[in-house]
mmCIF file of all heavy atoms in Angstrom:
data_model
loop_
_atom_site.group_PDB
_atom_site.id
_atom_site.type_symbol
_atom_site.label_atom_id
_atom_site.label_comp_id
_atom_site.label_asym_id
_atom_site.label_seq_id
_atom_site.Cartn_x
_atom_site.Cartn_y
_atom_site.Cartn_z
ATOM 1 N N GLU A 1 0.824 -1.208 0.000
ATOM 2 C CA GLU A 1 0.000 0.000 0.000
ATOM 3 C C GLU A 1 0.860 1.261 0.000
ATOM 4 O O GLU A 1 0.617 2.196 -0.768
ATOM 5 C CB GLU A 1 -0.945 0.016 1.209
ATOM 6 C CG GLU A 1 -1.980 -1.087 1.199
ATOM 7 C CD GLU A 1 -1.434 -2.427 1.717
ATOM 8 O OE1 GLU A 1 -0.360 -2.467 2.357
ATOM 9 O OE2 GLU A 1 -2.094 -3.452 1.456
ATOM 10 N N ASP A 2 1.857 1.301 0.879
ATOM 11 C CA ASP A 2 2.725 2.475 0.953
ATOM 12 C C ASP A 2 3.538 2.645 -0.328
ATOM 13 O O ASP A 2 3.751 3.764 -0.787
ATOM 14 C CB ASP A 2 3.661 2.375 2.157
ATOM 15 C CG ASP A 2 2.923 2.533 3.468
ATOM 16 O OD1 ASP A 2 1.863 3.193 3.494
ATOM 17 O OD2 ASP A 2 3.408 1.993 4.478
ATOM 18 N N SER A 3 3.971 1.532 -0.905
ATOM 19 C CA SER A 3 4.745 1.597 -2.142
ATOM 20 C C SER A 3 3.891 2.130 -3.285
ATOM 21 O O SER A 3 4.337 2.991 -4.055
ATOM 22 C CB SER A 3 5.293 0.218 -2.502
ATOM 23 O OG SER A 3 6.157 -0.238 -1.485
ATOM 24 N N GLU A 4 2.659 1.652 -3.391
ATOM 25 C CA GLU A 4 1.757 2.142 -4.432
ATOM 26 C C GLU A 4 1.466 3.627 -4.246
ATOM 27 O O GLU A 4 1.410 4.379 -5.215
ATOM 28 C CB GLU A 4 0.460 1.338 -4.423
ATOM 29 C CG GLU A 4 0.648 -0.073 -4.944
ATOM 30 C CD GLU A 4 -0.577 -0.963 -4.752
ATOM 31 O OE1 GLU A 4 -1.657 -0.453 -4.354
ATOM 32 O OE2 GLU A 4 -0.449 -2.171 -4.998
ATOM 33 N N GLU A 5 1.309 4.043 -3.005
ATOM 34 C CA GLU A 5 1.053 5.453 -2.741
ATOM 35 C C GLU A 5 2.257 6.315 -3.124
ATOM 36 O O GLU A 5 2.099 7.394 -3.698
ATOM 37 C CB GLU A 5 0.698 5.652 -1.269
ATOM 38 C CG GLU A 5 0.109 7.008 -0.992
ATOM 39 C CD GLU A 5 -0.470 7.120 0.408
ATOM 40 O OE1 GLU A 5 -0.993 6.123 0.917
ATOM 41 O OE2 GLU A 5 -0.396 8.221 0.967
ATOM 42 N N CYS A 6 3.460 5.841 -2.826
ATOM 43 C CA CYS A 6 4.665 6.578 -3.212
ATOM 44 C C CYS A 6 4.787 6.678 -4.727
ATOM 45 O O CYS A 6 5.192 7.712 -5.254
ATOM 46 C CB CYS A 6 5.914 5.926 -2.620
ATOM 47 S SG CYS A 6 6.207 6.382 -0.909
ATOM 48 N N VAL A 7 4.435 5.611 -5.422
ATOM 49 C CA VAL A 7 4.494 5.640 -6.893
ATOM 50 C C VAL A 7 3.499 6.666 -7.424
ATOM 51 O O VAL A 7 3.832 7.463 -8.311
ATOM 52 C CB VAL A 7 4.241 4.240 -7.485
ATOM 53 C CG1 VAL A 7 4.090 4.305 -8.989
ATOM 54 C CG2 VAL A 7 5.382 3.292 -7.109
ATOM 55 N N ASN A 8 2.304 6.679 -6.876
ATOM 56 C CA ASN A 8 1.321 7.681 -7.305
ATOM 57 C C ASN A 8 1.797 9.093 -6.986
ATOM 58 O O ASN A 8 1.612 10.015 -7.793
ATOM 59 C CB ASN A 8 -0.038 7.411 -6.659
ATOM 60 C CG ASN A 8 -0.708 6.199 -7.248
ATOM 61 O OD1 ASN A 8 -0.522 5.872 -8.415
ATOM 62 N ND2 ASN A 8 -1.492 5.515 -6.439
ATOM 63 N N ASP A 9 2.418 9.268 -5.830
ATOM 64 C CA ASP A 9 2.978 10.575 -5.481
ATOM 65 C C ASP A 9 4.115 10.947 -6.432
ATOM 66 O O ASP A 9 4.318 12.127 -6.727
ATOM 67 C CB ASP A 9 3.483 10.581 -4.036
ATOM 68 C CG ASP A 9 2.354 10.559 -3.011
ATOM 69 O OD1 ASP A 9 1.190 10.787 -3.400
ATOM 70 O OD2 ASP A 9 2.644 10.309 -1.821
ATOM 71 N N THR A 10 4.845 9.947 -6.905
ATOM 72 C CA THR A 10 5.911 10.195 -7.877
ATOM 73 C C THR A 10 5.339 10.831 -9.135
ATOM 74 O O THR A 10 5.905 11.791 -9.673
ATOM 75 C CB THR A 10 6.642 8.881 -8.234
ATOM 76 O OG1 THR A 10 7.271 8.375 -7.060
ATOM 77 C CG2 THR A 10 7.685 9.100 -9.317
ATOM 78 N N TYR A 11 4.226 10.295 -9.616
ATOM 79 C CA TYR A 11 3.604 10.855 -10.816
ATOM 80 C C TYR A 11 3.188 12.303 -10.585
ATOM 81 O O TYR A 11 3.379 13.159 -11.454
ATOM 82 C CB TYR A 11 2.396 10.029 -11.243
ATOM 83 C CG TYR A 11 2.696 8.571 -11.501
ATOM 84 C CD1 TYR A 11 1.751 7.591 -11.235
ATOM 85 C CD2 TYR A 11 3.926 8.152 -11.998
ATOM 86 C CE1 TYR A 11 2.011 6.252 -11.469
ATOM 87 C CE2 TYR A 11 4.205 6.813 -12.227
ATOM 88 C CZ TYR A 11 3.228 5.871 -11.958
ATOM 89 O OH TYR A 11 3.505 4.550 -12.186
ATOM 90 N N LEU A 12 2.633 12.595 -9.406
ATOM 91 C CA LEU A 12 2.233 13.962 -9.085
ATOM 92 C C LEU A 12 3.451 14.886 -9.034
ATOM 93 O O LEU A 12 3.432 15.987 -9.594
ATOM 94 C CB LEU A 12 1.490 13.999 -7.748
ATOM 95 C CG LEU A 12 1.096 15.399 -7.256
ATOM 96 C CD1 LEU A 12 0.112 16.054 -8.205
ATOM 97 C CD2 LEU A 12 0.514 15.306 -5.844
ATOM 98 N N HIS A 13 4.515 14.433 -8.389
ATOM 99 C CA HIS A 13 5.728 15.252 -8.313
ATOM 100 C C HIS A 13 6.328 15.466 -9.704
ATOM 101 O O HIS A 13 6.809 16.559 -10.003
ATOM 102 C CB HIS A 13 6.752 14.607 -7.379
ATOM 103 C CG HIS A 13 6.510 14.891 -5.933
ATOM 104 N ND1 HIS A 13 5.452 14.358 -5.239
ATOM 105 C CD2 HIS A 13 7.183 15.660 -5.050
ATOM 106 C CE1 HIS A 13 5.487 14.773 -3.991
ATOM 107 N NE2 HIS A 13 6.528 15.574 -3.844
ATOM 108 N N ALA A 14 6.318 14.439 -10.527
ATOM 109 C CA ALA A 14 6.828 14.586 -11.896
ATOM 110 C C ALA A 14 5.971 15.590 -12.663
ATOM 111 O O ALA A 14 6.497 16.446 -13.381
ATOM 112 C CB ALA A 14 6.843 13.236 -12.610
ATOM 113 N N TRP A 15 4.662 15.495 -12.487
ATOM 114 C CA TRP A 15 3.729 16.415 -13.155
ATOM 115 C C TRP A 15 4.038 17.865 -12.756
ATOM 116 O O TRP A 15 4.080 18.758 -13.592
ATOM 117 C CB TRP A 15 2.296 16.051 -12.772
ATOM 118 C CG TRP A 15 1.260 16.938 -13.377
ATOM 119 C CD1 TRP A 15 0.716 18.059 -12.827
ATOM 120 C CD2 TRP A 15 0.641 16.777 -14.655
ATOM 121 N NE1 TRP A 15 -0.206 18.598 -13.673
ATOM 122 C CE2 TRP A 15 -0.279 17.837 -14.813
ATOM 123 C CE3 TRP A 15 0.769 15.839 -15.674
ATOM 124 C CZ2 TRP A 15 -1.055 17.977 -15.943
ATOM 125 C CZ3 TRP A 15 -0.016 15.987 -16.799
ATOM 126 C CH2 TRP A 15 -0.909 17.053 -16.932
ATOM 127 N N ASN A 16 4.271 18.087 -11.463
ATOM 128 C CA ASN A 16 4.545 19.434 -10.970
ATOM 129 C C ASN A 16 5.946 19.928 -11.334
ATOM 130 O O ASN A 16 6.164 21.130 -11.479
ATOM 131 C CB ASN A 16 4.360 19.497 -9.456
ATOM 132 C CG ASN A 16 2.914 19.341 -9.055
ATOM 133 O OD1 ASN A 16 2.002 19.674 -9.800
ATOM 134 N ND2 ASN A 16 2.686 18.797 -7.868
ATOM 135 N N ALA A 17 6.895 19.024 -11.493
ATOM 136 C CA ALA A 17 8.271 19.422 -11.778
ATOM 137 C C ALA A 17 8.536 19.662 -13.263
ATOM 138 O O ALA A 17 9.405 20.450 -13.617
ATOM 139 C CB ALA A 17 9.239 18.357 -11.261
ATOM 140 N N MET A 18 7.806 18.989 -14.120
ATOM 141 C CA MET A 18 8.112 19.027 -15.554
ATOM 142 C C MET A 18 8.080 20.412 -16.202
ATOM 143 O O MET A 18 8.928 20.691 -17.016
ATOM 144 C CB MET A 18 7.196 18.099 -16.345
ATOM 145 C CG MET A 18 7.499 16.654 -16.149
ATOM 146 S SD MET A 18 9.039 16.116 -16.872
ATOM 147 C CE MET A 18 8.940 14.412 -16.419
ATOM 148 N N PRO A 19 7.148 21.284 -15.901
ATOM 149 C CA PRO A 19 7.209 22.565 -16.599
ATOM 150 C C PRO A 19 8.479 23.355 -16.295
ATOM 151 O O PRO A 19 8.911 24.162 -17.094
ATOM 152 C CB PRO A 19 5.977 23.321 -16.085
ATOM 153 C CG PRO A 19 5.062 22.263 -15.602
ATOM 154 C CD PRO A 19 5.933 21.141 -15.110
ATOM 155 N N ASP A 20 9.066 23.104 -15.134
ATOM 156 C CA ASP A 20 10.272 23.845 -14.763
ATOM 157 C C ASP A 20 11.553 23.203 -15.272
ATOM 158 O O ASP A 20 12.548 23.878 -15.466
ATOM 159 C CB ASP A 20 10.356 23.980 -13.238
ATOM 160 C CG ASP A 20 9.215 24.809 -12.686
ATOM 161 O OD1 ASP A 20 8.699 25.655 -13.426
ATOM 162 O OD2 ASP A 20 8.839 24.594 -11.523
ATOM 163 N N GLN A 21 11.542 21.908 -15.446
ATOM 164 C CA GLN A 21 12.752 21.230 -15.889
ATOM 165 C C GLN A 21 12.405 20.096 -16.835
ATOM 166 O O GLN A 21 11.342 19.520 -16.758
ATOM 167 C CB GLN A 21 13.561 20.715 -14.702
ATOM 168 C CG GLN A 21 12.800 19.814 -13.748
ATOM 169 C CD GLN A 21 13.646 19.395 -12.575
ATOM 170 O OE1 GLN A 21 14.687 18.791 -12.761
ATOM 171 N NE2 GLN A 21 13.191 19.708 -11.374
ATOM 172 N N ARG A 22 13.314 19.810 -17.721
ATOM 173 C CA ARG A 22 13.151 18.724 -18.690
ATOM 174 C C ARG A 22 14.253 17.717 -18.400
ATOM 175 O O ARG A 22 15.416 17.950 -18.713
ATOM 176 C CB ARG A 22 13.269 19.279 -20.100
ATOM 177 C CG ARG A 22 12.944 18.284 -21.183
ATOM 178 C CD ARG A 22 12.997 18.919 -22.565
ATOM 179 N NE ARG A 22 11.851 19.738 -22.845
ATOM 180 C CZ ARG A 22 10.743 19.286 -23.445
ATOM 181 N NH1 ARG A 22 10.672 18.038 -23.811
ATOM 182 N NH2 ARG A 22 9.742 20.095 -23.678
ATOM 183 N N PRO A 23 13.903 16.590 -17.770
ATOM 184 C CA PRO A 23 14.944 15.623 -17.383
ATOM 185 C C PRO A 23 15.633 14.999 -18.591
ATOM 186 O O PRO A 23 15.000 14.729 -19.611
ATOM 187 C CB PRO A 23 14.171 14.575 -16.591
ATOM 188 C CG PRO A 23 12.764 14.722 -17.008
ATOM 189 C CD PRO A 23 12.572 16.137 -17.432
ATOM 190 N N ASN A 24 16.950 14.787 -18.450
ATOM 191 C CA ASN A 24 17.719 14.133 -19.509
ATOM 192 C C ASN A 24 17.407 12.647 -19.580
ATOM 193 O O ASN A 24 17.389 12.063 -20.654
ATOM 194 C CB ASN A 24 19.222 14.326 -19.278
ATOM 195 C CG ASN A 24 19.629 15.767 -19.427
ATOM 196 O OD1 ASN A 24 19.041 16.510 -20.204
ATOM 197 N ND2 ASN A 24 20.628 16.173 -18.664
ATOM 198 N N LYS A 25 17.210 12.029 -18.426
ATOM 199 C CA LYS A 25 16.931 10.599 -18.350
ATOM 200 C C LYS A 25 15.717 10.412 -17.460
ATOM 201 O O LYS A 25 15.804 10.535 -16.243
ATOM 202 C CB LYS A 25 18.148 9.862 -17.805
ATOM 203 C CG LYS A 25 18.023 8.356 -17.870
ATOM 204 C CD LYS A 25 19.394 7.718 -17.819
ATOM 205 C CE LYS A 25 19.327 6.230 -17.757
ATOM 206 N NZ LYS A 25 18.919 5.565 -18.944
ATOM 207 N N LEU A 26 14.594 10.121 -18.065
ATOM 208 C CA LEU A 26 13.329 10.045 -17.341
ATOM 209 C C LEU A 26 13.350 8.971 -16.258
ATOM 210 O O LEU A 26 12.857 9.190 -15.166
ATOM 211 C CB LEU A 26 12.174 9.805 -18.321
ATOM 212 C CG LEU A 26 10.767 9.843 -17.734
ATOM 213 C CD1 LEU A 26 10.483 11.181 -17.055
ATOM 214 C CD2 LEU A 26 9.736 9.566 -18.812
ATOM 215 N N SER A 27 13.953 7.823 -16.532
ATOM 216 C CA SER A 27 13.977 6.757 -15.529
ATOM 217 C C SER A 27 14.721 7.197 -14.269
ATOM 218 O O SER A 27 14.265 6.937 -13.148
ATOM 219 C CB SER A 27 14.598 5.485 -16.099
ATOM 220 O OG SER A 27 15.936 5.716 -16.482
ATOM 221 N N ALA A 28 15.848 7.869 -14.428
ATOM 222 C CA ALA A 28 16.609 8.345 -13.268
ATOM 223 C C ALA A 28 15.837 9.429 -12.518
ATOM 224 O O ALA A 28 15.828 9.460 -11.280
ATOM 225 C CB ALA A 28 17.967 8.879 -13.710
ATOM 226 N N PHE A 29 15.180 10.300 -13.253
ATOM 227 C CA PHE A 29 14.373 11.366 -12.672
ATOM 228 C C PHE A 29 13.252 10.780 -11.815
ATOM 229 O O PHE A 29 13.067 11.154 -10.660
ATOM 230 C CB PHE A 29 13.814 12.231 -13.806
ATOM 231 C CG PHE A 29 12.942 13.367 -13.370
ATOM 232 C CD1 PHE A 29 13.480 14.516 -12.812
ATOM 233 C CD2 PHE A 29 11.566 13.305 -13.543
ATOM 234 C CE1 PHE A 29 12.673 15.572 -12.426
ATOM 235 C CE2 PHE A 29 10.749 14.348 -13.165
ATOM 236 C CZ PHE A 29 11.305 15.492 -12.596
ATOM 237 N N LEU A 30 12.525 9.827 -12.369
ATOM 238 C CA LEU A 30 11.417 9.191 -11.642
ATOM 239 C C LEU A 30 11.934 8.349 -10.473
ATOM 240 O O LEU A 30 11.349 8.347 -9.387
ATOM 241 C CB LEU A 30 10.588 8.329 -12.590
ATOM 242 C CG LEU A 30 9.852 9.076 -13.697
ATOM 243 C CD1 LEU A 30 9.293 8.097 -14.728
ATOM 244 C CD2 LEU A 30 8.767 9.967 -13.138
ATOM 245 N N GLY A 31 13.042 7.636 -10.691
ATOM 246 C CA GLY A 31 13.621 6.820 -9.630
ATOM 247 C C GLY A 31 14.043 7.655 -8.444
ATOM 248 O O GLY A 31 13.858 7.272 -7.281
#
């Protein structure tokens, strides 16, 4: 449950971070 919640929070954080920065390597950014 906690892992799934963190993954969902990851998507939200990525959504909020993307307009400000464009990651070179998406997997590393998400990880």
